[in-house]
Amino acid sequence: MLADHHECDVVVTAVAAVGTLVHADGYEGFIDQTKHPSWWSDTPRAAVGDRMRAVVLDATRTPPRFSALPSDVQTARSLRHTEPLARLCPPPGGGRTVKWSAVEETLGIVLPADYKRLVQRYGGGLFAGVIWLLEPGCPDAMYDLVAQTAEREEILAELWEAGEERPSELHEGNARLVPWGYVEGAGHFLYWLVRPGVEPEEWTVILNEGRGPLWESYPASCSQFLLDVVAGTTTSFYFTNLEDIVASEDRTCFSPNSQILSQ
């Protein structure tokens, strides 16, 4: 069943002046001509048989409305798990306005759209009493995205040089780890697995335990990982028994840096 923000490959089945009919995952859909890249650029106009990536804008319409605009695809990726997370764990209000271009230039990467949305809505802070979302520009370097990226690269390089085994995921090409979360108390770090040629929205999560050499990887975005932890549906060994250490009323709470670090 199609749902808003769902992303899939579609095939054009008919073309009219107002838009195109498409077939997607066994369903029919419609792309308004203004939601096809040709309306905004020199991209060739849609033709029967064309295949493209599209997202569901409104699944309640008949037929459902899709968009093939890259900007809408990226927006949908940022909403897919951040919106359910916000319903389950409401943002405190405020959030952050960040000059992402400067941050990304410093890091040498483009950051995932869902992470940017999390920072914009929540700011940095603590989810479910255990996972600290790193943010750029945090006054405490321990919870600053840029500072921790540099520090963790140095620490991991020293550990591997001393003989600790690298996670198998880093054996391929020029893969890189960039931290986005920290588990208070246990010392675990949550990283994106950054691989050449893989879009930021397709990066997965990899966890390094705080007091040992073990790693866990998850085929999920950072927002999906947080949603699973908050909702209690995670498969991670390190978060399956949160009810033993986090009160039920705190499981769906977020505490912002502005509140915690001022204490």
Side-chain angles (χ1 to χ4, degrees):
M1 184 176 182
L2 295 176
D4 290 355
H5 317 312
H6 179 71
E7 180 180 348
C8 56
D9 292 317
V10 303
V11 179
V12 176
T13 58
V15 179
V18 293
T20 61
L21 285 174
V22 297
H23 185 80
D25 291 350
Y27 296 89
E28 292 298 321
F30 181 78
I31 298 178
D32 184 280
Q33 63 175 342
T34 63
K35 291 300 183 178
H36 187 276
S38 62
W39 180 263
W40 306 99
S41 68
D42 295 331
T43 301
R45 301 183 71 175
V48 173
D50 283 355
R51 294 179 178 272
M52 67 189 83
R53 199 70 175 165
V55 293
V56 180
L57 296 180
D58 188 348
T60 66
R61 300 281 295 278
T62 304
R65 276 6 184 209
F66 283 76
S67 173
L69 297 179
S71 58
D72 285 340
V73 172
Q74 185 179 52
T75 297
R77 288 172 173 175
S78 74
L79 292 172
R80 198 167 303 140
H81 298 107
T82 58
E83 289 302 292
L85 178 61
R87 289 193 292 271
L88 185 62
C89 180
R96 281 284 312 282
T97 299
V98 176
K99 293 184 178 179
W100 292 110
S101 58
V103 174
E104 292 170 335
E105 183 177 358
T106 299
L107 295 174
I109 56 173
V110 175
L111 293 165
D114 70 314
Y115 168 75
K116 295 177 186 178
R117 190 170 186 85
L118 286 174
V119 173
Q120 288 164 351
R121 297 198 69 178
Y122 290 89
L126 203 58
F127 280 94
V130 290
I131 299 181
W132 214 301
L133 181 69
L134 306 183
E135 65 172 333
C138 179
D140 189 324
M142 185 66 217
Y143 310 111
D144 179 80
L145 178 74
V146 175
Q148 281 306 310
T149 297
E151 182 173 317
R152 298 310 301 173
E153 285 180 346
E154 183 177 332
I155 289 173
L156 289 174
E158 291 175 354
L159 289 173
W160 294 332
E161 187 176 346
E164 185 170 305
E165 187 175 355
R166 291 172 179 254
S168 59
E169 290 83 357
L170 290 185
H171 294 165
E172 50 182 271
N174 295 317
R176 175 186 175 191
L177 297 176
V178 175
W180 61 267
Y182 173 66
V183 181
E184 190 73 15
H188 312 319
F189 267 92
L190 295 158
Y191 298 88
W192 287 295
L193 177 63
V194 181
R195 292 174 293 170
V198 178
E199 293 186 22
E201 280 65 44
E202 301 299 325
W203 293 349
T204 57
V205 173
I206 184 167
L207 178 151
N208 180 211
E209 65 172 346
R211 297 179 177 87
L214 299 183
W215 295 78
E216 280 188 345
S217 59
Y218 309 89
S221 65
C222 66
S223 58
Q224 182 179 352
F225 188 90
L226 286 171
L227 175 61
D228 287 341
V229 170
V230 171
T233 57
T234 182
T235 59
S236 169
F237 169 79
Y238 298 96
F239 300 100
T240 51
N241 295 313
L242 271 189
E243 63 275 6
D244 295 336
I245 59 174
V246 178
S248 58
E249 62 270 19
D250 294 333
R251 184 71 173 261
T252 55
C253 289
F254 174 81
S255 302
N257 282 338
S258 57
Q259 172 185 316
I260 301 171
L261 300 180
S262 62
Q263 296 177 353

